[in-house]
Amino acid sequence: MTHHSETAGPFENGDIAYAGPGPEHQVTLRTPAELADALPYLLGYRPEDSIVLVALHDHGGRGRFGGRARLGIPPSSDDWPAAARQLAHSLITGSERRGAKPEQMVAFVCQEPAAGETPGQVMRRLKPLAQKLRTECGRLDVPVIEALCISGGRFWSYCCPTESCCPEDGRPMGLPGTSVLAAAAAYAGIRVRGSLKELRARLLPWETSAALEQEIALDAAGLSLMPRILDEADRAAVAEETLELAERVMRRFAEAPFVPDPVRADLRDDRLLGHEEAAALILGLQDRTTRDRAAEWMEGDETGPALRLWRALARRCVGPYGEYAAAPLALAGWVAWSAGDELEAREALAMALAADPDYLFARLLHQACNEGLDPEAVRRCLRAERRERTAAMTGAESRGDRETAEAARPEEEPAGAEVAVSQGTSGTEETAEETCVRTDPGVVPRRRRRARPDGPAPDRTRPAASRGGSTRPDPPGTPGRTRTRTSARGGPCAQGGPRRRDTGRPGADAGGDGSGGHR
């Protein structure tokens, strides 16, 4: 873009097309001001403290928006070259994998002024970062045709050919919702949320006086539940109790009156969930098999209550239990992704990885979501698991009824039928039992494991130290408590029991925004 006072586009006629769900929702952008106004509609939220790249594809001589990628601005300028390289590489190579390398790129750097800083100073401070973005994209043969800084309700272009193009104090942004693009987006049903900070607040642990009560409940639940989860014979019973409790809470959520405001809605859900209930659910979801079964609540009428429950549980992982939030955060991300909300999915999964960087369930889902894959493949897998388990349970109940009937028969009944049942000589009945044992260990006392395609099941008593990790101190008030968390070596359809892990206080936040990646 070299003529900012008139049109500002990458192609001959200077136009960039913003396309809604259909051709009737297409809007043409021609100036830097219109590009700056378009950013929240491209992302679905108002970015703060962000580096954003937006791909442009040639469509009949006009620029058409393609993939987007975002990272948080690193606090240290020493990290800016690496951040620019990562963002450019992920977006461009991701677009190539999908068969459409972008022809050009638009870059944005967005940051509010710090205390005592003016928006103009922010623009000048971030100029080297914008230059790094242009350099890294150019190195991959995708030129940046516009680079904008947005700060304090004003914007600047780093591509101005002369100083008179953009005033030193920038140009004011339009009022939200007043542009032609805003009207077109509203007509098309495209909504813009608040900021990422507001979205993350729904998933962050409590910092209120109630946090201490929740921590005490978690300590008590750990003392009572962890020995049972570690006991191979009792683990299936804990799983059933956890899932039944989750279903009761979800029904309670579903019956509650609708509240449109997100903050008030979360407060309502917090009142509906007791401390002991939350503690039992959080501890129970550390078992991978239990978590995978909970992931089946992903569609239909179960979606809304399940997502609300996982958010509420993430908020209850207070104090030294921050690492335990990886399970409910990953479930929240999965349900959001399955429901089509990629924004919340990315943020929840990134927060799960910040809570536990080794949580493979969250890592695989985060990568798949960022690469624009269809969640239907995971949904099919979970549906199949649910059908198999339901059929196995039905078969087990039918078998139990037949055994009861046979035992109650008079002595003059032919003995052959009774022997066939008691000794399992009937091929049909034995198959039903075997199916039941393989697919739902909680149905019968004898627990058999389905063969893993990738080799034998992992050692379930291997301590964390054997993985090169370190033993962390117990949360206060829980001396000698052993924590079990599931091995993250698999997704929802993977088999394998949990591994034993020494009690660990959650470490420091892994840092990093984690929400970058292409769409």
Side-chain angles (χ1 to χ4, degrees):
M1 293 185 181
T2 59
H3 196 39
H4 287 70
S5 60
E6 297 179 11
T7 62
F11 299 97
E12 292 180 1
N13 63 1
D15 294 344
I16 301 176
Y18 172 83
E24 67 276 13
H25 300 133
Q26 195 170 101
V27 177
T28 299
L29 309 178
R30 293 186 172 87
T31 68
E34 291 173 338
L35 279 175
D37 181 70
L39 183 57
Y41 300 96
L42 294 172
L43 298 178
Y45 61 94
R46 302 189 182 279
E48 295 176 345
D49 196 32
S50 300
I51 316 167
V52 180
L53 285 178
V54 180
L56 293 176
H57 300 277
D58 188 359
H59 185 76
R62 306 174 70 189
R64 179 69 63 89
F65 287 122
R68 297 84 154 149
R70 176 203 165 274
L71 279 177
I73 297 177
S76 172
S77 58
D78 293 339
D79 297 325
W80 289 358
R85 188 177 311 113
Q86 175 188 349
L87 200 62
H89 181 269
S90 65
L91 179 55
I92 294 172
T93 57
S95 298
E96 286 179 323
R97 283 198 300 271
R98 291 190 293 270
K101 180 178 179 179
E103 280 78 25
Q104 294 175 309
M105 199 79 72
V106 177
F108 300 84
V109 289
C110 311
Q111 193 172 68
E112 292 303 299
E117 190 178 30
T118 67
Q121 290 172 329
V122 174
M123 181 273 294
R124 289 186 287 274
R125 177 168 53 82
L126 296 180
K127 187 173 183 178
L129 175 57
Q131 186 57 44
K132 292 292 183 184
L133 289 170
R134 299 178 71 181
T135 301
E136 291 300 331
C137 290
R139 186 171 294 159
L140 296 173
D141 296 322
V142 182
V144 173
I145 49 85
E146 181 60 282
L148 298 176
C149 174
I150 299 174
S151 179
R154 309 187 74 81
F155 73 91
W156 293 259
S157 171
Y158 290 119
C159 299
C160 286
T162 64
E163 293 184 0
S164 61
C165 174
C166 286
E168 185 177 349
D169 59 350
R171 297 188 182 276
M173 297 278 293
L175 293 175
T178 60
S179 66
V180 174
L181 178 57
Y187 179 74
I190 299 172
R191 64 190 182 104
V192 175
R193 303 185 185 184
S195 65
L196 284 181
K197 186 183 298 183
E198 294 169 345
L199 179 60
R200 292 193 188 105
R202 308 189 70 182
L203 302 168
L204 289 173
W206 282 352
E207 293 183 354
T208 64
S209 58
L212 179 58
E213 299 177 36
Q214 184 61 63
E215 185 176 336
I216 293 171
L218 284 163
D219 289 341
L223 289 172
S224 62
L225 286 179
M226 280 306 174
R228 297 181 61 199
I229 295 175
L230 289 170
D231 185 353
E232 186 76 19
D234 208 13
R235 181 183 300 143
V238 176
E240 293 301 325
E241 293 168 10
T242 301
L243 294 166
E244 289 173 4
L245 175 57
E247 288 180 322
R248 289 199 302 272
V249 176
M250 286 168 56
R251 285 195 297 270
R252 196 182 306 159
F253 281 7
E255 294 167 358
F258 173 72
V259 177
D261 179 66
V263 175
R264 292 177 56 201
D266 290 344
L267 291 173
R268 173 208 56 199
D269 291 344
D270 290 339
R271 289 192 297 268
L272 293 172
L273 180 64
H275 295 310
E276 291 76 14
E277 290 177 323
L281 290 170
I282 290 168
L283 270 293
L285 288 172
Q286 304 308 307
D287 177 71
R288 187 178 71 187
T289 303
T290 308
R291 178 208 65 199
D292 289 352
R293 287 180 60 182
E296 295 169 2
W297 300 321
M298 59 189 172
E299 54 192 348
D301 294 338
E302 296 173 333
T303 303
L307 182 55
R308 288 162 55 191
L309 176 58
W310 308 143
R311 288 185 192 134
L313 293 180
R315 295 193 293 269
R316 301 296 186 98
C317 295
V318 297
Y321 292 92
E323 188 178 354
Y324 287 62
L329 284 170
L331 287 169
W334 157 240
V335 175
W337 184 33
S338 178
D341 189 348
E342 294 186 3
L343 173 59
E344 181 168 0
R346 288 194 183 93
E347 290 306 309
L349 293 169
M351 292 174 68
L353 290 173
D356 184 353
D358 296 327
Y359 206 64
L360 187 58
F361 178 54
R363 189 188 310 156
L364 294 174
L365 289 174
H366 190 241
Q367 180 180 353
C369 183
N370 279 340
E371 292 185 355
L373 301 183
D374 189 347
E376 180 58 24
V378 184
R379 284 196 293 260
R380 282 198 301 267
C381 180
L382 289 171
R383 290 188 201 111
E385 291 278 344
R386 196 173 194 175
R387 284 194 301 268
E388 288 178 11
R389 188 175 60 257
T390 301
M393 293 176 67
T394 302
E397 292 174 359
S398 176
R399 176 182 173 80
D401 292 342
R402 289 196 299 270
E403 289 177 340
T404 302
E406 292 289 348
R409 285 181 179 177
E411 291 184 0
E412 62 268 22
E413 283 291 322
E418 185 175 349
V419 171
V421 174
S422 61
Q423 295 182 354
T425 56
S426 167
T428 302
E429 291 170 353
E430 186 171 359
T431 302
E433 181 184 9
E434 290 299 314
T435 303
C436 175
V437 172
R438 286 199 309 271
T439 58
D440 191 351
V443 176
V444 293
R446 185 175 68 251
R447 187 169 187 265
R448 301 185 185 178
R449 300 175 52 78
R450 187 165 56 188
R452 291 167 54 91
D454 53 350
D459 181 2
R460 286 194 286 270
T461 60
R462 182 161 56 100
S466 67
R467 298 184 298 111
S470 60
T471 302
R472 294 177 232 167
D474 293 340
T478 57
R481 180 171 62 81
T482 303
R483 174 187 170 203
T484 296
R485 276 233 309 159
T486 59
S487 171
R489 289 178 167 79
C493 299
Q495 297 296 316
R499 64 183 177 197
R500 179 173 293 174
R501 182 172 176 180
D502 290 344
T503 300
R505 272 182 186 269
D509 189 342
D513 184 272
S515 61
H518 47 274
R519 297 177 64 178

